[in-house]
Amino acid sequence: MLLTLPSDRGNGTSSPQDDHPAVIDVEALSLTVGTRAVLRQVNFWVPANGITTVVGPSGSGKSSLLRILNRMWDHVPRVRIEGHVRFSGQDLYARGVDVRAVRTHIGMVFQRPTPFPRSIYDNIALTLRVHGIRQGISDRVESVLSASGLWDEVKDRLLASALTLSGGQQQRLSIARALALNPAVLLMDEPQSALDPRSRDQITQLMLTLKKHTTIVLVTHHLDEAKRVSDRLGVMVGGTMEVFGPAREIFQSESVARLASATQEFGQ
Amino acid sequence: MESSEIVLTSHLGIRRRFGLGCFQAVNYGALTLVMAAFWAILWTLVRGSLPAWHWSTWFTVSQGLGGGLANAIVGTLWLSCLTLLLVVPMGIATATYVLIYASPRMKQLTLLVSDVLAGVPSIVFGYVGYIVLVIALGFGFSALAAAVTLAAMVLPYMVRTSYLALVEVPSAVREQALALGFSRAQIIWSIMWAGARRGIIGGAILSIAIAMGETAPLIYTASWSDSLPSLALTHHSVGYLTYVVWTFIQQPYPQAIALAYMAGLILVLLVGAMAVLGRAIRA
Amino acid sequence: MIRSEQGRLTSRGLRSLVETGVQTGLGILALAPFVVLVGLVGYLIWVSIPVFRYMRWGFFSHIAWNLGNLYAYHPVLVHGVRVMPGAEFGAFAFLLGTGLTSLMAICLAVPIAFLLASAASFGVSWPWRNILAILVEMMAGVPSVVFGLFGFIVLGPAIATQVGPWLNHWLSPIPFFSGPVTSETNLLTATVTLTLMVIPIVATTTRVAMARVPRDWVDSARALGWTEHEVFWHVIWPHSRAALTGGTILGLGRALGETMAVLMVSGNALNVLPKNIYSGVSTMAATIAGQLDAALTDPTRMAVHALGTLGLILMAISLAVNLIARVVVVSDGQTDHAGGGLAHGIL
């Protein structure tokens, strides 16, 4: 399923300088797990305050790419990462960089909701307390729950177990928890794929609100969802970034039909 | 850009750094402890058995407190084979029956009884096996009495592993076969047992590994014999490795002690190898 | 191989015969667990009846275990039971010995096992955690006589010459810890040997539960910038607490029923209670194995029956312990399922 792509955007190395400054800049990135090359020579960048989406078939390496951006591969044995990943100008993989610091600035939300088996309040408060924050916790809880659109639904039962929430609510709680540390970037790994259509829609709306203040990197295999939210779009196939550019241009280009059909074909 | 605000280095405060340090220290401490204990046990066996590292140990039978281990090794294998013959049909049948025929209550009850049996101390099997099989039924100290006792003891392991293997066979396949007009007996034979073969074989190997390491059920059922086991099932006592370990080690003769270490080493390696093999086949 | 049966929908005679035969055969074999359990329990109760008729509650409270005058010309009739004159069967010392060795072993083993589980599932880095998990499982499979051998050869002398005197020196204000260390086989050696045997069981049960904590939970805690110890305490530990309890009870079950290792290192003291941790003890399981030979010389069979009664009590305790462990582990499984269940259900 090779894609033929317009030559002007071929290999997707449009440079960061053209419209926005880059928050994250990935250059010639390769990832090898064991003996398997998962990513090969990937270049892409993420502008501030927008949604950058990466789509591709399962196994194309899009989730692996996302996990590189907050160093989640640190805990997996026999992994080799080559190339550069810069976050606001600093190399994430340089010596002396504290992975915990990286993750407070770059938050992450996963495919399945991951509420800790505690109260709704504690899910967020604990996150702050672990980082030594003692003051203004309840204000912060309220503000992130509001930001994730959950406050009105849970304000009367903050001390109830987070496991009593519905799947969509749990996912929004996971987002609120990630927002509690006020990250500059939020990585979202197929945050809607485990949810029902209505909850999906809520998450989509939430992303559109959040992008005003937060930089979002989204990985998904739903092309229509990517179309609704994306500012920039990258398409990954077989561990390489086949195309990368402004989302509107890519969706308008003549190859979009083929892209769509290919994506549907490989999606799920 | 606010890049000047973002500091990616030296993030942890004293408290968190201390907590992390303690956590890593005790974890690596635990690692060291276990490695030390494991090597201490292995090294004790290897060093103690050195005088018995000779071909003759494997090929001569024991004479009193000396000689070799041939009778004990063959005896352990002989008892294991007999146990296997008894326990495998019972284990598979029980697991199959509860999965295919039994009502949900019956299924739960059978599995509960089987699990409870796994908690019965081995000496209780030994005691009852002696009084009932050796004396009351008149088997005498014999391979049969020992194998029946061992089989009763490892039965719950065989039931559990067979059950887990059979449950893994997708019920959709079963229903498909039913829809094709297979009889239940055909389904059991050609779908269930064929599909669960690996798991069942692995479970049998694990059960036998457990049986091989046992002593308490055997002392009063197999007793001990200096000669190679005969094929007679009753009235002929049988030697086995665990007996050598626990009696010969308490003797004042260096030759006996070396044989006890050797028997211990063989047991550890044999049981360990079978456990690894059983687990690999099941996985 | 489709053979038309011309619309016949009833099964043929032979086929249904096979069906019934298979079902009956399997059903009969499936009775095996019931037969074994009922047989064991029934038989032990049966032999215990005369023992309780003779000893009454004294069986639990008396310390002396005495076969009586075996050279007496005639057995005597007491409470309608024939026994040798002067025979006495008191299990208190064995009950105490079993309780002391098992509980002390559990107290020593659980903290170590917990650390091992933490290290093997999460705490140490990659090749080591797998090596550790394998080593712990291998230790769980080491036959109990080998632990007995190790206790007899290595631990006993070390306790008699080093550990015992050291403990006596530093802990002598505590009553049970002070006293002369005169023997290699004693309560302390038995306890330490049992500890070694129990650790792998508790550690493996707990490790499996810890390793089963869903990857996404661990990842999302890490993604919040938490360190390893914070992830462990706030995510892994709450998920595996019940497994540690269940594993502890399982380990207790093994310690209570352990025969050979205790027989080799406990000193097998009869008719006395341990004065301190350096005294010899005996447990119910070890006594059955150790005394059966002697008991057979009793022409009235009471001594053999009394050992059966020990077996009955031991079995009752072990079964109770195992049932509790089962309840704990199973209910843990259910909460675990409910925890991840919502997300799973949607997938």
Side-chain angles (χ1 to χ4, degrees):
Chain A
M1 55 169 90
L2 270 175
L3 290 171
T4 330
L5 295 155
S7 57
D8 56 331
R9 278 184 298 275
N11 274 346
T13 43
S14 59
S15 81
Q17 285 80 25
D18 47 9
D19 38 9
H20 293 282
V23 179
I24 290 175
D25 184 12
V26 172
E27 197 184 317
L29 180 79
S30 297
L31 167 71
T32 317
V33 181
T35 53
R36 203 167 64 88
V38 179
L39 299 174
R40 292 189 209 101
Q41 294 291 319
V42 171
N43 297 302
F44 91 116
W45 59 281
V46 178
N49 298 345
I51 298 179
T52 304
T53 306
V54 181
V55 295
S58 37
S60 63
K62 56 191 195 303
S63 287
S64 304
L65 176 63
L66 200 66
R67 294 170 79 88
I68 279 186
L69 302 183
N70 70 344
R71 292 189 48 171
M72 291 305 279
W73 286 106
D74 283 20
H75 311 283
V76 182
R78 293 180 301 167
V79 165
R80 212 170 67 242
I81 295 170
E82 285 158 299
H84 292 285
V85 184
R86 277 184 284 268
F87 168 57
S88 65
Q90 305 175 61
D91 194 330
L92 280 187
Y93 287 83
R95 288 178 64 160
V97 170
D98 188 331
V99 59
R100 272 84 52 156
V102 169
R103 291 172 187 162
T104 58
H105 296 296
I106 304 178
M108 187 163 185
V109 175
F110 295 80
Q111 185 169 357
R112 285 197 295 150
T114 54
F116 300 138
R118 295 166 167 270
S119 71
I120 296 166
Y121 181 89
D122 266 358
N123 259 275
I124 294 157
L126 181 68
T127 304
L128 296 166
R129 278 202 300 270
V130 161
H131 283 276
I133 297 166
R134 294 274 180 278
Q135 255 94 59
I137 286 188
S138 52
D139 292 346
R140 191 87 195 117
V141 170
E142 182 176 346
S143 74
V144 293
L145 283 176
S146 307
S148 61
L150 203 57
W151 178 249
D152 290 333
E153 291 163 55
V154 301
K155 67 182 173 203
D156 300 324
R157 49 172 181 142
L158 286 176
L159 297 182
S161 167
L163 302 178
T164 61
L165 296 173
S166 75
Q169 288 173 324
Q170 289 187 0
Q171 189 63 305
R172 279 182 285 150
L173 180 64
S174 306
I175 295 173
R177 199 176 54 194
L179 291 175
L181 297 169
N182 207 6
V185 179
L186 192 59
L187 310 176
M188 304 182 93
D189 188 359
E190 306 196 24
Q192 295 142 307
S193 63
L195 304 178
D196 60 278
R198 199 171 142 267
S199 303
R200 277 184 194 187
D201 206 51
Q202 285 172 326
I203 303 276
T204 305
Q205 291 305 326
L206 177 56
M207 284 193 282
L208 290 171
T209 320
L210 289 177
K211 79 167 188 179
K212 290 168 193 152
H213 314 284
T214 314
T215 306
I216 294 176
V217 185
L218 171 72
V219 158
T220 182
H221 56 237
H222 287 287
L223 208 60
D224 39 349
E225 255 154 28
K227 199 169 176 176
R228 281 178 70 188
V229 299
S230 305
D231 296 310
R232 293 189 82 82
L233 184 75
V235 180
M236 289 205 73
V237 178
T240 55
M241 190 69 87
E242 287 289 333
V243 61
F244 180 74
R248 205 181 318 139
E249 283 179 35
I250 294 180
F251 279 114
Q252 279 169 354
S253 73
E254 57 193 54
S255 66
V256 73
R258 303 182 62 171
L259 178 72
S261 69
T263 314
Q264 293 309 349
E265 203 177 295
F266 55 58
Q268 244 3 324
Chain B
M1 253 326 302
E2 74 272 66
S3 70
S4 55
E5 296 169 23
I6 294 178
V7 179
L8 294 181
T9 49
S10 58
H11 174 71
L12 296 183
I14 294 274
R15 259 179 65 104
R16 296 181 74 193
R17 205 169 298 194
F18 179 74
L20 183 59
C22 288
F23 183 72
Q24 283 170 339
V26 295
N27 275 304
Y28 280 94
L31 171 69
T32 320
L33 197 76
V34 161
M35 304 276 276
F38 188 80
W39 291 118
I41 292 175
L42 210 57
W43 175 238
T44 305
L45 293 176
V46 169
R47 198 190 48 181
S49 63
L50 280 180
W53 281 45
H54 194 274
W55 285 116
S56 65
T57 305
W58 297 83
F59 296 113
T60 44
V61 296
S62 60
Q63 296 129 15
L65 294 168
L69 291 172
N71 54 325
I73 294 168
V74 176
T76 291
L77 297 177
W78 172 228
L79 291 179
S80 301
C81 288
L82 284 179
T83 306
L84 204 61
L85 279 179
L86 288 168
V87 79
V88 166
M90 284 194 292
I92 297 177
T94 306
T96 311
Y97 187 84
V98 296
L99 200 64
I100 305 265
Y101 298 106
S103 65
R105 283 178 65 104
M106 190 64 192
K107 172 172 158 182
Q108 270 194 327
L109 184 68
T110 311
L111 291 177
L112 175 71
V113 164
S114 162
D115 282 359
V116 155
L117 215 47
V120 175
S122 57
I123 183 63
V124 171
F125 287 99
Y127 175 89
V128 177
Y130 172 66
I131 307 285
V132 173
L133 301 173
V134 176
I135 295 179
L137 293 180
F139 290 176
F141 291 127
S142 60
L144 186 63
V148 171
T149 309
L150 277 182
M153 205 200 87
V154 297
L155 177 63
Y157 300 97
M158 194 62 221
V159 170
R160 185 44 83 173
T161 48
S162 310
Y163 179 76
L164 290 177
L166 290 168
V167 161
E168 287 290 304
V169 178
S171 59
V173 178
R174 234 158 74 196
E175 280 157 20
Q176 183 67 60
L178 214 53
L180 287 173
F182 279 47
S183 72
R184 272 172 154 184
Q186 285 167 326
I187 289 175
I188 289 171
W189 178 258
S190 57
I191 309 275
M192 303 297 292
W193 290 355
R197 200 173 43 214
R198 285 176 68 95
I200 291 174
I201 293 172
I205 292 175
L206 285 180
S207 304
I208 282 312
I210 293 169
M212 278 181 169
E214 277 301 332
T215 322
L218 296 179
I219 301 170
Y220 293 105
T221 52
S223 191
W224 167 254
S225 161
D226 267 340
S227 49
L228 287 172
S230 66
L231 285 175
L233 288 178
T234 57
H235 299 289
H236 288 263
S237 53
V238 183
Y240 47 94
L241 286 166
T242 46
Y243 180 91
V244 178
V245 181
W246 92 276
T247 43
F248 283 27
I249 197 71
Q250 318 209 20
Q251 305 301 326
Y253 313 107
Q255 206 191 355
I257 292 174
L259 282 181
Y261 281 117
M262 191 66 187
L265 185 63
I266 296 173
L267 274 172
V268 168
L269 296 180
L270 199 61
V271 172
M274 296 195 55
V276 169
L277 183 69
R279 215 167 279 145
I281 290 178
R282 286 182 72 199
Chain C
M1 64 162 275
I2 297 170
R3 262 173 298 159
S4 168
E5 293 280 336
Q6 266 128 37
R8 241 176 76 175
L9 292 175
T10 50
S11 54
R12 282 161 298 167
L14 180 65
R15 187 166 159 163
S16 74
L17 200 68
V18 170
E19 279 289 276
T20 325
V22 167
Q23 179 166 1
T24 317
L26 289 178
I28 288 171
L29 285 175
L31 288 174
F34 292 94
V35 170
V36 173
L37 189 69
V38 172
L40 286 181
V41 174
Y43 183 75
L44 291 178
I45 289 177
W46 169 250
V47 300
S48 301
I49 290 171
V51 177
F52 281 120
R53 275 173 71 191
Y54 175 56
M55 287 302 294
R56 307 280 158 95
W57 292 108
F59 186 81
F60 294 100
S61 58
H62 287 206
I63 293 164
W65 188 274
N66 180 355
L67 305 191
N69 181 5
L70 297 180
Y71 301 103
Y73 204 66
H74 290 298
V76 292
L77 203 66
V78 183
H79 302 314
V81 184
R82 274 164 23 102
V83 292
M84 297 314 281
E88 197 179 354
F89 304 103
F92 184 72
F94 309 133
L95 282 166
L96 185 72
T98 302
L100 277 178
T101 48
S102 306
L103 291 178
M104 283 165 62
I106 280 291
C107 290
L108 288 176
V110 167
I112 300 172
F114 170 70
L115 288 181
L116 279 181
S118 139
S121 65
F122 195 70
V124 301
S125 59
W126 163 64
W128 293 111
R129 76 172 63 153
N130 295 29
I131 292 170
L132 190 56
I134 293 169
L135 278 189
V136 170
E137 284 193 14
M138 282 183 75
M139 281 182 75
V142 170
S144 59
V145 272
V146 174
F147 280 105
L149 180 150
F150 186 72
F152 184 74
I153 294 291
V154 178
L155 298 177
I159 281 168
T161 57
Q162 313 281 326
V163 183
W166 187 85
L167 283 177
N168 180 32
H169 184 254
W170 291 105
L171 299 178
S172 54
I174 309 170
F176 211 54
F177 287 81
S178 72
V181 187
T182 53
S183 162
E184 290 181 0
T185 53
N186 53 41
L187 174 55
L188 187 57
T189 315
T191 300
V192 177
T193 309
L194 278 181
T195 304
L196 279 184
M197 305 178 67
V198 168
I199 286 173
I201 296 172
V202 185
T204 301
T205 317
T206 316
R207 181 193 71 80
V208 169
M210 287 178 172
R212 214 180 273 155
V213 174
R215 191 87 227 145
D216 282 1
W217 266 255
V218 175
D219 278 354
S220 61
R222 279 177 171 150
L224 293 169
W226 293 4
T227 62
E228 305 301 284
H229 76 287
E230 289 151 355
V231 177
F232 182 79
W233 280 120
H234 298 307
V235 178
I236 299 202
W237 170 232
H239 272 100
S240 52
R241 212 168 356 205
L244 181 67
T245 317
T248 302
I249 303 172
L250 279 179
L252 181 63
R254 168 143 196 204
L256 287 168
E258 177 48 44
T259 311
M260 297 317 293
V262 177
L263 190 62
M264 292 168 82
V265 298
S266 67
N268 298 314
L270 279 181
N271 298 322
V272 286
L273 295 182
K275 282 195 279 297
N276 50 47
I277 57 168
Y278 318 108
S279 326
V281 287
S282 193
T283 65
M284 290 188 277
T287 303
I288 300 172
Q291 295 294 312
L292 192 50
D293 255 340
L296 289 167
T297 58
D298 180 352
T300 65
R301 321 261 303 138
M302 268 305 280
V304 176
H305 292 172
L307 290 177
T309 311
L310 278 185
L312 179 70
I313 296 167
L314 181 60
M315 188 160 152
I317 299 173
S318 304
L319 295 194
V321 162
N322 273 280
L323 282 176
I324 295 170
R326 218 183 118 82
V327 169
V328 171
V329 173
V330 165
S331 68
D332 170 44
Q334 277 165 355
T335 53
D336 227 332
H337 189 74
L342 286 172
H344 274 296
I346 293 159
L347 273 173

